[in-house]
Amino acid sequence: MSNWIDYLSSQGARFHIDEAGQVEDFGRVLSRAELADGFVAPATDLGLIGVAGEDAASFLHNQLTNDVEHLSRTEARLAGYCTPKGRLQATCLMWRDEQSIYLQLPRAIQAPLQKRLTMFVLRAKAKLRDATAEPQYEAVLGLGGAKAEAALSEHFGALPAVPYAKLDHDLGAVIRLADAFDAPRYLWLTSAQTAIAAIPKLKARLALGGNVAWHLAAIHAGVPQVTLKTQEQFVPQMVNFELVGGVNFKKGCYPGQEIVARSQYLGKLKRRMVLASVDNAAAQPGEEVFSSADPEQPAGMIVNAAANGAGGADVLVEIKLAALTDAVHLGSAAGAQLSVLPMPYSLDAAGT
């Protein structure tokens, strides 16, 4: 990992103030327009749990919100891990290879989740490990925007054709994710050596960003990521997790399953997640938002936030749907006002 981080530093990386190995950007924050045109972003704040053993799939199937037993090697899926009360402790991207199933999630919560899951292995033939620095996944590159497909095709030829399809190649694995800015997003998982060789050619065609750019693209894809500050705050439907394919209502039980199912089938959902912009680049996950119609009580919470290159931040915010008819402010009723933006999918779409 150090060679990869050292290389990014030599390219002008700016690091997170509290995390020396996490690249925020390369001298400036990329704008929405630059992301829409095409970008490549080393994602350095993600951790990876590997689960191996003949019971790995059945064990995870009984822990997560999505179907693991039928996960093939040519696809990836979103999944959540809930408390018994149905509140998300983590959201992750999962895929498998010949030996293991992998869960990718923020590095800040990777080790605690790995420890918690290990507590429930019991007699199952499954072993969890920290796979973050394993050579084949040491470098994680996120790509998106109009020019990304052509730039990545120069390395791989054909790319995954639909969201959450996965391609294995000598140069690593490529997973297509949910689209953002009307263009595909891709996650390239590879060795540090391969990534170092690829970056010069990629950045000649694409804007070079870091974690901030990758987060901003995910926000515009409408895909939530539970972080350290938002653990146990949301039932999956409150952050549209079933709308983006993160919940399978036909699979068997998992922690919190009854609560999640009840939220889906009994009554109408009163809280959802929406996309918004705010003139405060320092907006953070976990911050509460307030409606002008009821200024004393929080109307919702920031799920994810990223600077947008225009002096503010774009956010995914979980909120009472009734509050959207009023002005909504960050931090207090006197805070910066949120401007709601169109979501990339319907909030009334059927769950999976």
Side-chain angles (χ1 to χ4, degrees), residues 97-338:
D97 61 19
E98 289 182 358
Q99 291 80 32
S100 302
I101 299 170
Y102 297 92
L103 309 177
Q104 186 189 65
L105 68 165
R107 190 172 297 180
I109 61 175
Q110 176 251 318
L113 180 66
Q114 181 178 328
K115 181 178 180 180
R116 181 169 178 81
L117 286 172
T118 301
M119 293 169 54
F120 298 104
V121 170
L122 302 177
R123 296 181 181 178
K125 295 179 180 178
K127 185 175 182 180
L128 285 76
R129 69 186 189 278
D130 182 354
T132 307
E134 291 183 1
Q136 72 273 31
Y137 298 131
E138 185 177 9
V140 180
L141 296 176
L143 300 95
K147 297 178 180 176
E149 182 176 3
L152 193 57
S153 293
E154 291 189 10
H155 298 269
F156 288 88
L159 294 172
V162 296
Y164 299 104
K166 173 175 167 280
L167 170 71
D168 289 314
H169 188 278
D170 290 343
L171 294 177
V174 174
I175 299 170
R176 179 170 168 177
L177 302 178
D179 295 357
F181 304 107
D182 297 317
R185 284 187 307 140
Y186 300 98
L187 198 66
W188 182 2
L189 306 146
T190 190
S191 67
Q193 181 179 2
T194 299
I196 290 170
I199 284 287
K201 195 170 184 179
L202 288 171
K203 74 174 188 176
R205 300 186 61 174
L206 306 171
L208 181 62
N211 293 334
V212 174
W214 189 236
H215 295 169
L216 185 60
I219 286 168
H220 279 268
V223 178
Q225 181 79 75
V226 169
T227 65
L228 188 63
K229 295 179 180 179
T230 58
Q231 288 184 297
E232 302 187 25
Q233 294 296 320
F234 314 117
V235 171
Q237 291 92 331
M238 293 165 64
V239 292
N240 308 350
F241 204 50
E242 89 287 10
L243 299 183
V244 295
V247 182
N248 185 313
F249 292 102
K250 298 177 182 179
K251 69 183 289 288
C253 293
Y254 55 86
Q257 183 264 341
E258 291 185 3
I259 304 297
V260 176
R262 193 179 306 141
S263 298
Q264 186 71 12
Y265 297 119
L266 298 180
K268 188 175 182 180
L269 294 170
K270 297 180 179 179
R271 307 183 74 97
R272 278 298 199 183
M273 184 181 72
V274 299
L275 174 64
S277 182
V278 62
D279 289 332
N280 183 343
Q284 294 291 319
E287 284 191 83
E288 293 177 326
V289 299
F290 293 79
S291 166
S292 59
D294 187 10
E296 301 301 320
Q297 299 293 328
M301 178 177 287
I302 301 296
V303 182
N304 298 112
N308 58 22
D314 292 349
V315 301
L316 291 173
V317 56
E318 178 274 334
I319 194 168
K320 297 175 184 177
L321 291 175
L324 292 175
T325 59
D326 306 305
V328 178
H329 301 265
L330 180 65
S332 72
Q337 185 172 340
L338 275 66

